[in-house]
Amino acid sequence: MIVYFVAAACAVGVVIVASRLVRRASGSAEDAAPDGPTSSHTGAMLSALFLLAFAIAIVVPWTTSDSARSNTYTESQAIAEAYWAAQRLPPADARRVQDGLIAYVELVRGPEWRLMKNGRLSARGWADLDGLRREVIAVQAGTDEAKDARSAVLDHLGEVSAARRQRAMDARTTPPAGLLGVTLVTGVVVLLLPFLAGARPRGMALVPLSLMAALLAAGAYLTVDISHVFTGALAVGPEAFTGLHADLQRIAGGG
């Protein structure tokens, strides 16, 4: 972070030195007009910088949200496959594994989803998955079919674990704080630039300026609101696990 401030200070120093050198040069002209070349150049560059930061602050969370939503369906599909594969295990073992999978889904779509809004997953979820793996590994497979079923369940549990790790990463992922800071600061500077340049808008000139201010404020709030995958306007919900839970209950009931 210190490097950023040092770089900014150096850039300001370059501007000050350049202004003094140019002032001493022959043929240079004062530029104090609000619509002069300095203000025009500065306004164009600041607008471009704001648009760049704003675009990144919108696109990155949007992409991350789509990926996280897709991953929830990948995880739920792996759970469903593990549930079906478990039916080929000995009846007592199959029932324990399937009940464990239903309990895991209930945990994810309920208490764990609320924890993910704070960027973390429950320790119980990891413990439940580990317990299911131990249960399956301990199954006494006396036939080739049982051995194949045990291997299939373990493979699907591995897929569930991998998708869960990705979900944990998604819950912790946010855009860099510096990016949001640059977006907000440049937005404020772009808004105040006419006043900083010496202009004093009056009457109808305040209408487009006020409209721009409102849109900038809404856009700035949006970048903050969508910065986390599991909260805000683009929040990923537990729909994949809610639908899966209903399906597993139906299958368990023989419907």
Side-chain angles (χ1 to χ4, degrees), residues 7-250:
C10 290
V12 173
V14 169
V15 171
I16 294 174
V17 172
S19 66
R20 291 185 179 276
L21 292 176
V22 171
R23 187 179 301 171
R24 296 175 183 177
S26 59
S28 61
E30 295 288 340
D31 181 23
D35 59 347
T38 302
S39 297
S40 299
H41 174 70
T42 303
M45 294 303 298
L46 284 172
S47 298
L49 179 59
F50 168 74
L51 290 175
L52 176 62
F54 181 72
I56 296 174
I58 292 293
V59 172
V60 170
W62 197 298
T63 304
T64 304
S65 178
D66 284 345
S67 176
R69 182 174 289 103
S70 176
N71 183 67
T72 62
Y73 285 94
T74 298
E75 184 177 357
S76 65
Q77 181 62 32
I79 295 171
E81 295 296 335
Y83 190 93
W84 281 108
Q87 286 192 330
R88 298 162 54 200
L89 296 173
D93 296 315
R95 188 70 268 162
R96 284 197 301 273
V97 173
Q98 289 177 326
D99 287 345
L101 288 170
I102 292 177
Y104 174 76
V105 173
E106 290 174 345
L107 169 70
V108 171
R109 76 188 186 100
E112 184 165 87
W113 214 267
R114 292 189 289 272
L115 285 176
M116 289 193 299
K117 295 179 180 181
N118 298 320
R120 59 193 181 93
L121 273 64
S122 69
R124 180 187 154 194
W126 295 112
D128 286 354
L129 273 184
D130 292 341
L132 282 171
R133 282 185 168 180
R134 294 190 189 97
E135 287 271 0
V136 177
I137 291 173
V139 170
Q140 298 297 320
T143 64
D144 290 341
E145 181 181 0
K147 291 179 181 178
D148 291 342
R150 183 175 61 186
S151 297
V153 174
L154 287 174
D155 288 343
H156 292 309
L157 288 177
E159 295 171 0
V160 174
S161 182
R164 180 179 174 83
R165 288 191 179 89
Q166 181 61 51
R167 182 158 53 85
M169 184 181 300
D170 292 335
R172 295 191 300 268
T173 299
T174 57
L179 176 61
L180 293 178
V182 169
T183 304
L184 297 176
V185 170
T186 53
V188 172
V189 173
V190 168
L191 175 63
L192 298 178
L193 184 62
F195 301 98
L196 297 176
R200 296 294 180 266
R202 293 289 186 273
M204 291 303 295
L206 289 173
V207 175
L209 186 61
S210 300
L211 180 60
M212 183 187 71
L215 294 177
L216 282 178
Y221 174 77
L222 179 63
T223 61
V224 176
D225 189 41
I226 67 174
S227 61
H228 192 273
V229 172
F230 296 104
T231 59
L234 293 180
V236 176
E239 293 83 6
F241 295 94
T242 300
L244 173 65
H245 184 264
D247 289 341
L248 296 186
Q249 292 283 18
R250 175 180 52 79

